[in-house]
């Protein structure tokens, strides 16, 4: 029987044959195939959840013969943690960087213990599950930790109530053997350990779309055949509902002062056999966990049998179920995982597949918290940095002894050689972690050195956003305003021509060689508005480079004049336009555009406008605004589309990754986005862009406004050769919530570049030299005069034709 056939649905019907095969196969053979199957589904990643353990009550109506978690209430002892005690534990976990609040409790103690009933009444509840629901809600609202609950067997209404306040739930099947509940068995006098009852709870979780954890407990008297039957039962439920996100294979540990204190424990080979069998039955995609603290120093060997998860690891609370077995410290766990060539990655209580589909698997309010806590692949964010924040980003050194990946090395060699990588290969580069990230960034930086040397360029420029009024709203944009939206950040404005020209003249006196003009899609602007603006600037400042008008503004302007885009671009060029910004691109994939800007230019339309500009001799930049509802496959598609257009036209001057700033973005405020990309993702976006776009685009630029000086310093070492513009007036990112200022003058630019061990050079927009006299104007420049934000003016003209043709939205949350 082949490795794949063991998890093939066509073979599952013959479970008897499968059972015989698994019972007869040699352990090394089972382990080899299980590990290979695990690698095919999860690669090198081994996950864990950073949790705080909240034992709400240790009373239980069951009398399992191996359990020390359950206890008999003593005189004067409380039956339940109080709300204050629950919050104290949760807040300690919050301070330690936990993402999960694991609520563990005995089953329905009020059905056995009067003290439980009395205390629940004093707390204002009639059941343990009612109190649990309230405490989950309390922790959610006060700390933002994501509750995962192990609440025992439940009815559908109880589970549904908990679903509203927890992101996932769990119940160990333990065994499918009824005989273990007979007199003398470990589950005697434990009514909630009846296998049929537990299977029904797990089934109900499937009906309710609850991400669910289950598993088996081995070594309590069951046979290997019964273990297989239990795993097959779980497999069948998962095939029906798709809700079992994790299977735990837990080995029995004998504990003092229990009826099974002298019972033999399963040895390592028995545990390895069971893990391998679980993997072969459940297939490559299932998450299979074995607790590391129950296998002493041998636990890294568990990775060779097919697990891909270590379970919940707490930096602050003990394992209350197995208090004699402390969890390994997370850094020690990381190093141990590396000994098997694997990468330790934090996850949320919900695994990536369920986090990425949170609209199905969580209540809306919880789905928002899951999105905010995850990265682009659905794992947990690995630090508290986000674009625009003042938190200093950090880069952890690779796990000691962890070797780079040979497959990644082969992809990097091909990219450096100028080969065109495909979508799956680029997506793989974006998925790198730990030592692999350094592998990618080092390759990108070596390529940067080969192409650009050690020079880092920048341009002295001024941003002029001539209006923030926009008829339509993109979900990511905090800059645009309606004409009467004074309550939003900043008042609506519409600069008159005199104020625009004043800013251009002031920029020239401060050494600027470029003005960058962009604005909202004002309901009364026409193509003539843009033409008039370009002509006025060109007449007033003949030597100033006019970098203006996104693809969206060009499309809108052409539509209002009834012109083809090509003809309108030609008129703009004749009026003085020099280059176009590559904004309004966001992510060039309509799967994403349909969510964040459904009324905006489609991917094809954006590429057509920009491609036409290139054909007319108007170079442009290329951008990506990433880290909101997008994922690595979308980034790969974006890069491929930029690369393909550059191969045809050669018109892109640089590629500029723009990390999404979430703080004031409407979609983020409604809980529909992530908190921007993680810093790992930011580093990879710049590095992968360098590699994928080579040799077609030579310049990779970072956005210091979004990264801050500390982030820029780090990202410079991953393939970047340009710091962009000094900006003078930055308003779009600041409207979104970034806290990194509105100008970085030449002196600060050069200090940052020198601190990174590189050589600064001021450039023009098209990467030409800047004369010494102009450079001198930018040094020690006078402060900017106060801005005049011209209030919206009454318009007598009718709305432009574009309003009647199609709705467009502002493009400049970038």
């Amino acid at each position: 029987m082949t490795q794949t056939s063991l998890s093939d649905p066509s073979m599952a019907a013959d479970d008897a044959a499968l059972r015989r095969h698994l019972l007869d196969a040699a352990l090394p053979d089972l382990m080899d195939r299980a590990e290979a199957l695990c690698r095919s589904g999860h690669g090198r990643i081994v996950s864990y959840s950073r949790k705080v353990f909240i034992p709400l009550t240790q009373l239980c109506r069951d009398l399992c013969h191996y359990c020390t978690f359950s206890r008999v209430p003593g005189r004067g002892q409380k039956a339940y943690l109080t709300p204050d005690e629950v919050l104290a534990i949760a807040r300690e976990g919050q301070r330690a960087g936990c993402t999960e609040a694991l609520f563990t409790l005995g089953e329905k103690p009020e059905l056995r213990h009067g003290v439980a009933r009395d205390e629940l009444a004093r707390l204002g509840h009639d059941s343990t599950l009612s109190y649990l629901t309230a405490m989950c809600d309390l922790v959610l609202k006060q700390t933002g930790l994501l509750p995962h609950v192990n609440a025992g067997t439940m009815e559908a209404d109880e589970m549904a109530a908990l679903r509203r306040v927890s992101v996932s739930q769990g119940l160990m099947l333990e065994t499918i053997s009824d005989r273990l509940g007979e007199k003398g068995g470990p589950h005697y006098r434990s009514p909630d350990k009846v296998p049929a009852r537990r299977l029904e709870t797990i089934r109900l979780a499937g009906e309710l779309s609850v991400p669910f954890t289950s598993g088996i407990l081995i070594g309590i008297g069951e046979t290997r055949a019964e273990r297989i039957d239990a795993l097959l039962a779980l497999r069948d439920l998962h095939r029906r509902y798709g809700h079992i996100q994790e299977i735990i294979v837990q080995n029995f540990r004998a504990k003092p002062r229990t009826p099974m204190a002298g019972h033999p424990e399963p040895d390592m080979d028995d545990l390895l056999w069971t893990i391998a069998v679980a993997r072969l039955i459940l297939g490559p995609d299932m998450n299979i966990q074995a607790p590391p603290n129950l296998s002493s120093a041998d636990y890294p060997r568990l990775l060779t049998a097919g697990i891909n998860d270590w379970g919940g690891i707490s930096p602050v609370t003990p394992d209350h179920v197995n208090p004699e077995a402390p969890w390994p410290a997370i850094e020690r766990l990381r190093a141990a995982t590396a000994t098997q060539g694997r990468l330790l990655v934090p996850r949320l209580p919900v695994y990536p597949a369920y986090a990425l589909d949170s609209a199905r698997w969580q209540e809306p309010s919880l789905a928002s918290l899951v999105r905010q806590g995850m990265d682009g692949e659905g794992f947990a964010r690995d630090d508290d940095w986000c674009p625009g924040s003042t938190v200093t980003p950090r880069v952890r050194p690779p796990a000691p002894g962890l070797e780079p990946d040979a497959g990644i090395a082969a992809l990097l060699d091909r990219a450096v050689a100028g080969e065109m990588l495909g979508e799956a290969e680029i997506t793989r580069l974006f998925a790198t972690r730990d030592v692999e990230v350094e592998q990618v960034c080092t390759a990108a930086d070596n390529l940067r050195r080969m192409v650009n040397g050690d020079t880092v360029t920048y341009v002295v420029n001024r941003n002029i956003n001539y209006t923030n009024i926009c008829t339509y709203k993109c979900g990511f944009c905090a800059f645009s305003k309606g004409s009467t939206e004074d309550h939003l950040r900043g008042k609506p404005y519409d600069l008159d021509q005199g104020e625009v020209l004043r800013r251009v003249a002031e920029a020239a006196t401060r050494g600027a060689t470029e003005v960058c003009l962009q604005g909202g899609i004002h309901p009364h602007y026409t193509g003539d508005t843009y033409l008039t603006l370009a002509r006025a600037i060109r007449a007033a400042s003949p030597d100033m480079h006019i970098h203006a008008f996104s693809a969206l503004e060009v499309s809108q302007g052409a539509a209002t004049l009834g012109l083809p885009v090509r003809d309108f671009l030609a008129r703009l060029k004749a009026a003085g336009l020099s280059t176009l910004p590559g904004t309004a691109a966001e992510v060039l994939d309509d799967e994403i555009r349909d969510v964040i800007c459904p009324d905006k230019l489609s991917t094809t339309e954006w590429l057509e406008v920009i491609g036409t500009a290139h054909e007319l001799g108007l170079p442009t930049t290329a951008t990506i605004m990433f880290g909101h509802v997008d994922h690595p496959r979308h980034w790969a598609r974006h890069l491929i589309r930029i690369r393909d257009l550059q191969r045809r036209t050669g018109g892109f001057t640089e590629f500029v990754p723009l990390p999404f700033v979430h703080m004031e973005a409407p979609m983020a405020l409604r809980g529909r986005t992530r908190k921007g990309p993680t810093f790992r993702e930011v580093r990879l976006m710049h590095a992968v862009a360098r590699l994928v776009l080579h040799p077609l685009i030579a310049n990779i630029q970072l956005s210091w406004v979004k990264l801050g000086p500390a982030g820029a310093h780090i990202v410079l070492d991953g393939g970047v050769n340009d710091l962009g513009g000094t900006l003078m007036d930055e308003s779009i990112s600041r409207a979104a919530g970034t806290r990194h200022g509105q100008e970085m003058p030449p002196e600060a630019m050069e200090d940052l570049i020198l601190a990174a061990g590189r050589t600064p050079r001021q450039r023009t927009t098209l990467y030409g030299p800047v004369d010494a006299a102009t450079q001198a104007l930018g040094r020690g420049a006078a402060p900017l005069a106060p801005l005049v934000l011209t209030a919206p003016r009454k318009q007598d003209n009718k709305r432009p034709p574009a309003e009647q043709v199609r709705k467009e939205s502002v493009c400049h949350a970038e």
Side-chain angles (χ1 to χ4, degrees), residues 345-357:
V345 176
R347 61 167 172 84
L348 300 173
V350 281
Y351 279 82
Y354 298 84
L356 293 171
D357 194 12

Side-chain angles (χ1 to χ4, degrees), residues 317-336:
T317 51
D319 181 350
H320 291 279
V321 176
N322 299 283
E324 80 289 351
W327 282 303
I330 290 171
E331 280 304 310
R332 197 164 80 243
L333 183 66
R334 182 175 178 233

Side-chain angles (χ1 to χ4, degrees), residues 59 201 386 509 802:
L59 302 186
T201 296
C386 61
T509 66

